[in-house]
Amino acid sequence: MREKQLSVSDTEEKILTAALKVINRETISGTRIHLIAKEADVAQSNVHYYYKTKQDLMDSLQERVLEECYDIRRSNVGDETLEGQLHTFFEQKKHLILKKRNYDFAELNFIIQSKLDVTMKNRFQKAYEEWRDDIREIIIRFYPMISEADKEQIPYVIVSMLEGASLQVLIDADDFNADMYFGHAEKMALTYIYNAGKKEK
C-alpha cells in the first residue's frame, strides 16, 4: 500500500502548483526555475530554498502526480464485485483526463523524461508494478481459475488501455469521447476475463 505524502508548506504548494502549470505550457525540457518562480509569484531564491535544483523540484512534482493518480483511485472504490472493482480503474483514468488533465499531461512528460532519468524511470516502474498488482489481485480474487499466463498479462493489457487514452487525448482531444472509450475498454477487459475463466473451468 502506498504511503501518503508528507504535507508541504504553503510556499512549497504554490511552487509545485506553478511547476505543474509551467510543465503543461512548456514541457519538462522547456521548464526553467525562473518561469516557475514567476508563475508562483515568489522570488527565485525561494524556489531554491525548497528545491536546490530543477531535478529536485521535478522529483517532488513527479511524486505529487503519482500520488494524485493514486488518491483518485482510492477515493472511488467500487462495490465488491469484479465489475465494480475494475470499474474503479477506468473511472480513475477518465476522471484524470476530464477533470485533471494537467496532471495527466505532466505524467506523459515524466514518462518521456524517464528515458533519460533512471530515478524517474524507477519511480514509474514501481508505480506501474503496483498498478498491475492491484488489478491482478482483483482478477485472482474473483476468477482464480484463469491461467497463470492470463493472470500475468491481463493487467498489462488493461494498463495499456488506460494509458493509451492519454495519448489519444493529447493528439486529438476534440474527437475523443471519454465515456464511449472507457465504456468499450471496460467491456472488452471484462469479456476477456469472463472468457478466460470459462476456458479454464
Side-chain angles (χ1 to χ4, degrees), residues 145-197:
M145 75 289 288
I146 70 173
S147 71
E148 292 304 314
D150 281 332
K151 288 173 188 172
E152 178 62 26
Q153 291 304 316
I154 291 172
Y156 281 93
V157 174
I158 291 175
V159 169
S160 293
M161 286 176 167
L162 298 171
E163 289 298 78
S166 296
L167 293 172
Q168 294 186 74
V169 170
L170 176 66
I171 293 166
D172 215 355
D174 290 340
D175 287 335
F176 184 82
N177 185 314
D179 289 327
M180 288 187 69
Y181 177 91
F182 287 107
H184 284 302
E186 191 172 338
K187 191 182 295 182
M188 289 168 69
L190 286 168
T191 299
Y192 189 89
I193 294 168
Y194 297 151
N195 289 338

Short mmCIF file of all heavy atoms in Angstrom, two decimals, residues 145-197:
data_model
loop_
_atom_site.label_atom_id
_atom_site.label_comp_id
_atom_site.label_asym_id
_atom_site.label_seq_id
_atom_site.Cartn_x
_atom_site.Cartn_y
_atom_site.Cartn_z
N MET A 145 -9.51 -19.27 -11.23
CA MET A 145 -9.31 -20.41 -12.09
C MET A 145 -8.61 -20.08 -13.41
O MET A 145 -8.19 -20.97 -14.12
CB MET A 145 -10.66 -21.09 -12.39
CG MET A 145 -11.56 -20.35 -13.37
SD MET A 145 -12.27 -18.81 -12.72
CE MET A 145 -13.47 -19.47 -11.56
N ILE A 146 -8.49 -18.79 -13.76
CA ILE A 146 -7.88 -18.49 -15.06
C ILE A 146 -6.40 -18.83 -15.05
O ILE A 146 -5.77 -18.94 -14.00
CB ILE A 146 -8.11 -17.02 -15.49
CG1 ILE A 146 -7.31 -16.05 -14.63
CG2 ILE A 146 -9.59 -16.66 -15.48
CD1 ILE A 146 -7.39 -14.62 -15.13
N SER A 147 -5.83 -18.99 -16.22
CA SER A 147 -4.45 -19.46 -16.34
C SER A 147 -3.46 -18.46 -15.75
O SER A 147 -3.74 -17.26 -15.67
CB SER A 147 -4.11 -19.72 -17.81
OG SER A 147 -4.00 -18.49 -18.50
N GLU A 148 -2.30 -18.96 -15.40
CA GLU A 148 -1.24 -18.09 -14.86
C GLU A 148 -0.81 -17.05 -15.90
O GLU A 148 -0.52 -15.91 -15.55
CB GLU A 148 -0.04 -18.94 -14.42
CG GLU A 148 -0.31 -19.83 -13.22
CD GLU A 148 -0.81 -19.04 -12.01
OE1 GLU A 148 -0.20 -17.99 -11.70
OE2 GLU A 148 -1.80 -19.47 -11.39
N ALA A 149 -0.80 -17.46 -17.16
CA ALA A 149 -0.41 -16.51 -18.22
C ALA A 149 -1.40 -15.36 -18.31
O ALA A 149 -1.01 -14.19 -18.44
CB ALA A 149 -0.34 -17.24 -19.56
N ASP A 150 -2.72 -15.67 -18.20
CA ASP A 150 -3.73 -14.62 -18.25
C ASP A 150 -3.65 -13.73 -17.00
O ASP A 150 -3.79 -12.51 -17.10
CB ASP A 150 -5.13 -15.22 -18.37
CG ASP A 150 -5.44 -15.66 -19.80
OD1 ASP A 150 -4.89 -15.07 -20.73
OD2 ASP A 150 -6.24 -16.60 -19.96
N LYS A 151 -3.41 -14.34 -15.84
CA LYS A 151 -3.26 -13.55 -14.62
C LYS A 151 -2.10 -12.56 -14.74
O LYS A 151 -2.16 -11.44 -14.24
CB LYS A 151 -3.02 -14.46 -13.41
CG LYS A 151 -4.23 -15.25 -12.96
CD LYS A 151 -3.84 -16.24 -11.88
CE LYS A 151 -4.99 -17.18 -11.55
NZ LYS A 151 -4.57 -18.26 -10.63
N GLU A 152 -1.07 -13.00 -15.42
CA GLU A 152 0.12 -12.15 -15.58
C GLU A 152 -0.10 -11.05 -16.61
O GLU A 152 0.27 -9.89 -16.39
CB GLU A 152 1.31 -13.02 -16.00
CG GLU A 152 2.60 -12.27 -16.24
CD GLU A 152 3.13 -11.54 -15.01
OE1 GLU A 152 2.83 -11.97 -13.87
OE2 GLU A 152 3.85 -10.53 -15.18
N GLN A 153 -0.74 -11.39 -17.74
CA GLN A 153 -0.77 -10.46 -18.87
C GLN A 153 -1.98 -9.54 -18.91
O GLN A 153 -1.89 -8.42 -19.44
CB GLN A 153 -0.69 -11.25 -20.19
CG GLN A 153 0.67 -11.91 -20.41
CD GLN A 153 1.81 -10.89 -20.37
OE1 GLN A 153 1.72 -9.80 -20.94
NE2 GLN A 153 2.89 -11.24 -19.68
N ILE A 154 -3.14 -9.97 -18.40
CA ILE A 154 -4.32 -9.10 -18.47
C ILE A 154 -4.08 -7.73 -17.82
O ILE A 154 -4.48 -6.70 -18.38
CB ILE A 154 -5.56 -9.80 -17.86
CG1 ILE A 154 -6.00 -10.97 -18.76
CG2 ILE A 154 -6.72 -8.82 -17.70
CD1 ILE A 154 -7.08 -11.86 -18.16
N PRO A 155 -3.42 -7.65 -16.65
CA PRO A 155 -3.15 -6.32 -16.08
C PRO A 155 -2.32 -5.42 -17.00
O PRO A 155 -2.56 -4.20 -17.05
CB PRO A 155 -2.39 -6.64 -14.78
CG PRO A 155 -2.89 -8.00 -14.40
CD PRO A 155 -3.04 -8.72 -15.71
N TYR A 156 -1.38 -6.00 -17.75
CA TYR A 156 -0.61 -5.20 -18.71
C TYR A 156 -1.53 -4.62 -19.78
O TYR A 156 -1.40 -3.45 -20.17
CB TYR A 156 0.47 -6.06 -19.38
CG TYR A 156 1.70 -6.28 -18.55
CD1 TYR A 156 1.84 -7.39 -17.74
CD2 TYR A 156 2.77 -5.37 -18.59
CE1 TYR A 156 2.98 -7.60 -16.98
CE2 TYR A 156 3.92 -5.57 -17.85
CZ TYR A 156 4.02 -6.69 -17.03
OH TYR A 156 5.15 -6.89 -16.28
N VAL A 157 -2.46 -5.45 -20.27
CA VAL A 157 -3.38 -5.00 -21.32
C VAL A 157 -4.28 -3.89 -20.80
O VAL A 157 -4.49 -2.87 -21.48
CB VAL A 157 -4.22 -6.19 -21.84
CG1 VAL A 157 -5.29 -5.71 -22.82
CG2 VAL A 157 -3.32 -7.24 -22.50
N ILE A 158 -4.80 -4.05 -19.59
CA ILE A 158 -5.70 -3.02 -19.02
C ILE A 158 -4.96 -1.71 -18.81
O ILE A 158 -5.48 -0.63 -19.15
CB ILE A 158 -6.33 -3.53 -17.71
CG1 ILE A 158 -7.32 -4.68 -18.01
CG2 ILE A 158 -7.06 -2.39 -16.97
CD1 ILE A 158 -7.91 -5.35 -16.79
N VAL A 159 -3.76 -1.77 -18.28
CA VAL A 159 -2.97 -0.54 -18.09
C VAL A 159 -2.70 0.12 -19.44
O VAL A 159 -2.74 1.35 -19.56
CB VAL A 159 -1.66 -0.84 -17.32
CG1 VAL A 159 -0.72 0.36 -17.36
CG2 VAL A 159 -1.97 -1.20 -15.88
N SER A 160 -2.43 -0.69 -20.47
CA SER A 160 -2.20 -0.12 -21.81
C SER A 160 -3.45 0.57 -22.34
O SER A 160 -3.36 1.63 -22.97
CB SER A 160 -1.77 -1.23 -22.78
OG SER A 160 -0.50 -1.73 -22.42
N MET A 161 -4.62 -0.01 -22.09
CA MET A 161 -5.88 0.64 -22.49
C MET A 161 -6.01 2.00 -21.80
O MET A 161 -6.41 3.00 -22.42
CB MET A 161 -7.07 -0.23 -22.08
CG MET A 161 -7.31 -1.45 -22.91
SD MET A 161 -8.70 -2.39 -22.20
CE MET A 161 -9.05 -3.54 -23.52
N LEU A 162 -5.71 2.03 -20.51
CA LEU A 162 -5.86 3.25 -19.73
C LEU A 162 -4.87 4.32 -20.18
O LEU A 162 -5.25 5.48 -20.41
CB LEU A 162 -5.68 2.95 -18.24
CG LEU A 162 -6.70 1.98 -17.64
CD1 LEU A 162 -6.30 1.57 -16.22
CD2 LEU A 162 -8.10 2.59 -17.63
N GLU A 163 -3.62 3.96 -20.33
CA GLU A 163 -2.61 4.94 -20.71
C GLU A 163 -2.75 5.34 -22.17
O GLU A 163 -2.42 6.47 -22.54
CB GLU A 163 -1.20 4.39 -20.44
CG GLU A 163 -0.86 4.30 -18.96
CD GLU A 163 -0.88 5.65 -18.27
OE1 GLU A 163 -1.98 6.17 -17.96
OE2 GLU A 163 0.20 6.20 -18.03
N GLY A 164 -3.25 4.42 -23.00
CA GLY A 164 -3.47 4.74 -24.40
C GLY A 164 -4.47 5.87 -24.58
O GLY A 164 -4.37 6.67 -25.52
N ALA A 165 -5.42 5.97 -23.65
CA ALA A 165 -6.39 7.07 -23.71
C ALA A 165 -5.69 8.42 -23.58
O ALA A 165 -6.03 9.38 -24.27
CB ALA A 165 -7.42 6.90 -22.60
N SER A 166 -4.69 8.49 -22.72
CA SER A 166 -3.96 9.76 -22.51
C SER A 166 -3.28 10.21 -23.79
O SER A 166 -3.29 11.40 -24.13
CB SER A 166 -2.91 9.59 -21.41
OG SER A 166 -3.53 9.32 -20.18
N LEU A 167 -2.68 9.27 -24.52
CA LEU A 167 -2.00 9.62 -25.76
C LEU A 167 -2.99 10.13 -26.80
O LEU A 167 -2.71 11.10 -27.51
CB LEU A 167 -1.27 8.38 -26.32
CG LEU A 167 -0.09 7.88 -25.49
CD1 LEU A 167 0.42 6.55 -26.05
CD2 LEU A 167 1.03 8.90 -25.46
N GLN A 168 -4.16 9.50 -26.87
CA GLN A 168 -5.14 9.92 -27.86
C GLN A 168 -5.73 11.29 -27.52
O GLN A 168 -6.01 12.08 -28.42
CB GLN A 168 -6.23 8.85 -28.00
CG GLN A 168 -5.64 7.57 -28.57
CD GLN A 168 -6.69 6.52 -28.85
OE1 GLN A 168 -7.44 6.66 -29.82
NE2 GLN A 168 -6.74 5.50 -28.03
N VAL A 169 -5.90 11.56 -26.24
CA VAL A 169 -6.38 12.89 -25.83
C VAL A 169 -5.34 13.95 -26.17
O VAL A 169 -5.66 15.05 -26.65
CB VAL A 169 -6.70 12.92 -24.32
CG1 VAL A 169 -6.95 14.34 -23.84
CG2 VAL A 169 -7.92 12.06 -24.03
N LEU A 170 -4.08 13.63 -25.95
CA LEU A 170 -3.00 14.57 -26.25
C LEU A 170 -2.99 14.93 -27.74
O LEU A 170 -2.83 16.09 -28.12
CB LEU A 170 -1.65 13.96 -25.86
CG LEU A 170 -0.41 14.77 -26.19
CD1 LEU A 170 -0.37 16.06 -25.37
CD2 LEU A 170 0.86 13.95 -25.93
N ILE A 171 -3.21 13.93 -28.58
CA ILE A 171 -3.13 14.13 -30.03
C ILE A 171 -4.43 14.67 -30.62
O ILE A 171 -4.43 15.50 -31.52
CB ILE A 171 -2.73 12.80 -30.72
CG1 ILE A 171 -1.30 12.43 -30.32
CG2 ILE A 171 -2.85 12.90 -32.24
CD1 ILE A 171 -0.91 11.02 -30.64
N ASP A 172 -5.56 14.20 -30.10
CA ASP A 172 -6.83 14.50 -30.74
C ASP A 172 -7.95 14.71 -29.72
O ASP A 172 -8.97 14.02 -29.75
CB ASP A 172 -7.19 13.33 -31.67
CG ASP A 172 -7.91 13.77 -32.92
OD1 ASP A 172 -8.20 14.98 -33.02
OD2 ASP A 172 -8.18 12.93 -33.78
N ALA A 173 -7.77 15.65 -28.83
CA ALA A 173 -8.70 15.85 -27.71
C ALA A 173 -10.12 16.16 -28.17
O ALA A 173 -11.10 15.71 -27.56
CB ALA A 173 -8.20 16.97 -26.80
N ASP A 174 -10.28 16.91 -29.25
CA ASP A 174 -11.61 17.32 -29.67
C ASP A 174 -12.48 16.16 -30.13
O ASP A 174 -13.70 16.20 -30.01
CB ASP A 174 -11.52 18.36 -30.80
CG ASP A 174 -10.98 19.70 -30.31
OD1 ASP A 174 -11.05 19.94 -29.08
OD2 ASP A 174 -10.49 20.48 -31.13
N ASP A 175 -11.85 15.13 -30.68
CA ASP A 175 -12.62 13.99 -31.20
C ASP A 175 -12.69 12.82 -30.22
O ASP A 175 -13.31 11.80 -30.52
CB ASP A 175 -12.00 13.48 -32.51
CG ASP A 175 -12.28 14.44 -33.66
OD1 ASP A 175 -13.27 15.17 -33.58
OD2 ASP A 175 -11.49 14.45 -34.63
N PHE A 176 -12.05 12.95 -29.07
CA PHE A 176 -12.00 11.84 -28.11
C PHE A 176 -13.23 11.86 -27.22
O PHE A 176 -13.49 12.85 -26.53
CB PHE A 176 -10.73 11.92 -27.26
CG PHE A 176 -10.56 10.76 -26.32
CD1 PHE A 176 -10.03 9.56 -26.77
CD2 PHE A 176 -10.94 10.85 -24.99
CE1 PHE A 176 -9.88 8.48 -25.90
CE2 PHE A 176 -10.79 9.79 -24.12
CZ PHE A 176 -10.25 8.59 -24.58
N ASN A 177 -14.00 10.77 -27.23
CA ASN A 177 -15.20 10.66 -26.39
C ASN A 177 -14.84 9.74 -25.22
O ASN A 177 -14.80 8.52 -25.36
CB ASN A 177 -16.36 10.08 -27.20
CG ASN A 177 -17.66 10.06 -26.42
OD1 ASN A 177 -17.69 9.65 -25.25
ND2 ASN A 177 -18.73 10.48 -27.05
N ALA A 178 -14.57 10.34 -24.06
CA ALA A 178 -14.09 9.58 -22.91
C ALA A 178 -15.10 8.55 -22.44
O ALA A 178 -14.73 7.41 -22.12
CB ALA A 178 -13.73 10.54 -21.76
N ASP A 179 -16.38 8.92 -22.39
CA ASP A 179 -17.40 7.99 -21.92
C ASP A 179 -17.46 6.74 -22.80
O ASP A 179 -17.50 5.61 -22.31
CB ASP A 179 -18.77 8.66 -21.87
CG ASP A 179 -18.87 9.68 -20.75
OD1 ASP A 179 -18.24 9.48 -19.70
OD2 ASP A 179 -19.57 10.69 -20.93
N MET A 180 -17.46 6.96 -24.11
CA MET A 180 -17.53 5.82 -25.03
C MET A 180 -16.25 4.99 -24.97
O MET A 180 -16.29 3.76 -24.94
CB MET A 180 -17.79 6.30 -26.45
CG MET A 180 -19.20 6.80 -26.68
SD MET A 180 -19.56 7.19 -28.41
CE MET A 180 -19.55 5.55 -29.12
N TYR A 181 -15.11 5.68 -24.96
CA TYR A 181 -13.84 4.96 -24.95
C TYR A 181 -13.74 4.05 -23.73
O TYR A 181 -13.47 2.85 -23.84
CB TYR A 181 -12.66 5.94 -24.97
CG TYR A 181 -11.32 5.23 -24.88
CD1 TYR A 181 -10.64 4.86 -26.03
CD2 TYR A 181 -10.76 4.90 -23.64
CE1 TYR A 181 -9.43 4.19 -25.96
CE2 TYR A 181 -9.55 4.22 -23.56
CZ TYR A 181 -8.89 3.87 -24.72
OH TYR A 181 -7.70 3.19 -24.64
N PHE A 182 -13.96 4.63 -22.55
CA PHE A 182 -13.78 3.84 -21.33
C PHE A 182 -14.88 2.80 -21.17
O PHE A 182 -14.64 1.72 -20.62
CB PHE A 182 -13.68 4.76 -20.11
CG PHE A 182 -12.37 5.49 -20.05
CD1 PHE A 182 -12.28 6.84 -20.34
CD2 PHE A 182 -11.20 4.81 -19.75
CE1 PHE A 182 -11.07 7.49 -20.31
CE2 PHE A 182 -9.98 5.46 -19.71
CZ PHE A 182 -9.91 6.80 -19.99
N GLY A 183 -16.08 3.09 -21.68
CA GLY A 183 -17.14 2.10 -21.66
C GLY A 183 -16.77 0.87 -22.48
O GLY A 183 -16.91 -0.27 -22.02
N HIS A 184 -16.26 1.11 -23.69
CA HIS A 184 -15.85 0.00 -24.56
C HIS A 184 -14.64 -0.74 -23.98
O HIS A 184 -14.59 -1.98 -24.00
CB HIS A 184 -15.51 0.51 -25.97
CG HIS A 184 -16.71 0.83 -26.80
ND1 HIS A 184 -17.69 -0.09 -27.11
CD2 HIS A 184 -17.10 1.98 -27.40
CE1 HIS A 184 -18.62 0.47 -27.86
NE2 HIS A 184 -18.29 1.74 -28.04
N ALA A 185 -13.67 0.02 -23.50
CA ALA A 185 -12.45 -0.61 -22.96
C ALA A 185 -12.79 -1.50 -21.77
O ALA A 185 -12.28 -2.62 -21.64
CB ALA A 185 -11.45 0.47 -22.56
N GLU A 186 -13.65 -1.00 -20.89
CA GLU A 186 -14.04 -1.77 -19.71
C GLU A 186 -14.78 -3.05 -20.11
O GLU A 186 -14.52 -4.13 -19.58
CB GLU A 186 -14.94 -0.89 -18.83
CG GLU A 186 -15.20 -1.45 -17.46
CD GLU A 186 -15.93 -0.45 -16.57
OE1 GLU A 186 -15.85 0.78 -16.84
OE2 GLU A 186 -16.56 -0.90 -15.61
N LYS A 187 -15.70 -2.92 -21.08
CA LYS A 187 -16.45 -4.08 -21.56
C LYS A 187 -15.51 -5.12 -22.18
O LYS A 187 -15.66 -6.33 -21.96
CB LYS A 187 -17.49 -3.64 -22.59
CG LYS A 187 -18.50 -4.71 -22.96
CD LYS A 187 -19.48 -4.20 -24.02
CE LYS A 187 -20.33 -3.07 -23.48
NZ LYS A 187 -21.33 -2.60 -24.48
N MET A 188 -14.53 -4.66 -22.96
CA MET A 188 -13.58 -5.58 -23.59
C MET A 188 -12.76 -6.33 -22.54
O MET A 188 -12.54 -7.54 -22.64
CB MET A 188 -12.66 -4.81 -24.54
CG MET A 188 -13.36 -4.32 -25.80
SD MET A 188 -12.35 -3.12 -26.72
CE MET A 188 -11.04 -4.18 -27.31
N ALA A 189 -12.30 -5.60 -21.52
CA ALA A 189 -11.50 -6.22 -20.47
C ALA A 189 -12.31 -7.29 -19.72
O ALA A 189 -11.83 -8.40 -19.48
CB ALA A 189 -10.98 -5.16 -19.50
N LEU A 190 -13.54 -6.94 -19.37
CA LEU A 190 -14.39 -7.88 -18.63
C LEU A 190 -14.73 -9.10 -19.48
O LEU A 190 -14.71 -10.23 -18.99
CB LEU A 190 -15.68 -7.18 -18.18
CG LEU A 190 -15.52 -6.21 -17.01
CD1 LEU A 190 -16.78 -5.36 -16.86
CD2 LEU A 190 -15.21 -6.94 -15.72
N THR A 191 -15.02 -8.89 -20.76
CA THR A 191 -15.35 -10.00 -21.65
C THR A 191 -14.19 -10.97 -21.74
O THR A 191 -14.37 -12.19 -21.70
CB THR A 191 -15.73 -9.48 -23.05
OG1 THR A 191 -16.88 -8.64 -22.95
CG2 THR A 191 -16.04 -10.63 -24.00
N TYR A 192 -12.98 -10.43 -21.84
CA TYR A 192 -11.82 -11.30 -21.93
C TYR A 192 -11.64 -12.11 -20.64
O TYR A 192 -11.37 -13.31 -20.68
CB TYR A 192 -10.54 -10.50 -22.21
CG TYR A 192 -9.37 -11.41 -22.51
CD1 TYR A 192 -9.11 -11.82 -23.81
CD2 TYR A 192 -8.57 -11.91 -21.49
CE1 TYR A 192 -8.07 -12.69 -24.09
CE2 TYR A 192 -7.54 -12.79 -21.76
CZ TYR A 192 -7.29 -13.17 -23.06
OH TYR A 192 -6.28 -14.04 -23.34
N ILE A 193 -11.83 -11.47 -19.50
CA ILE A 193 -11.69 -12.17 -18.22
C ILE A 193 -12.76 -13.26 -18.10
O ILE A 193 -12.47 -14.39 -17.70
CB ILE A 193 -11.77 -11.18 -17.04
CG1 ILE A 193 -10.58 -10.22 -17.06
CG2 ILE A 193 -11.82 -11.93 -15.71
CD1 ILE A 193 -10.71 -9.04 -16.12
N TYR A 194 -14.02 -12.94 -18.45
CA TYR A 194 -15.09 -13.95 -18.39
C TYR A 194 -14.74 -15.14 -19.26
O TYR A 194 -14.87 -16.29 -18.85
CB TYR A 194 -16.42 -13.37 -18.90
CG TYR A 194 -16.98 -12.21 -18.10
CD1 TYR A 194 -17.77 -11.25 -18.72
CD2 TYR A 194 -16.76 -12.08 -16.75
CE1 TYR A 194 -18.32 -10.19 -18.02
CE2 TYR A 194 -17.29 -11.03 -16.02
CZ TYR A 194 -18.06 -10.07 -16.67
OH TYR A 194 -18.59 -9.02 -15.96
N ASN A 195 -14.30 -14.87 -20.49
CA ASN A 195 -13.98 -15.96 -21.42
C ASN A 195 -12.79 -16.78 -20.94
O ASN A 195 -12.76 -18.01 -21.10
CB ASN A 195 -13.73 -15.41 -22.82
CG ASN A 195 -14.99 -14.91 -23.49
OD1 ASN A 195 -16.09 -15.32 -23.12
ND2 ASN A 195 -14.85 -14.02 -24.46
N ALA A 196 -11.80 -16.08 -20.38
CA ALA A 196 -10.63 -16.80 -19.84
C ALA A 196 -11.04 -17.71 -18.70
O ALA A 196 -10.53 -18.83 -18.55
CB ALA A 196 -9.57 -15.81 -19.38
N GLY A 197 -11.99 -17.24 -17.88
CA GLY A 197 -12.49 -18.05 -16.76
C GLY A 197 -13.25 -19.27 -17.24
O GLY A 197 -13.08 -20.38 -16.70
#
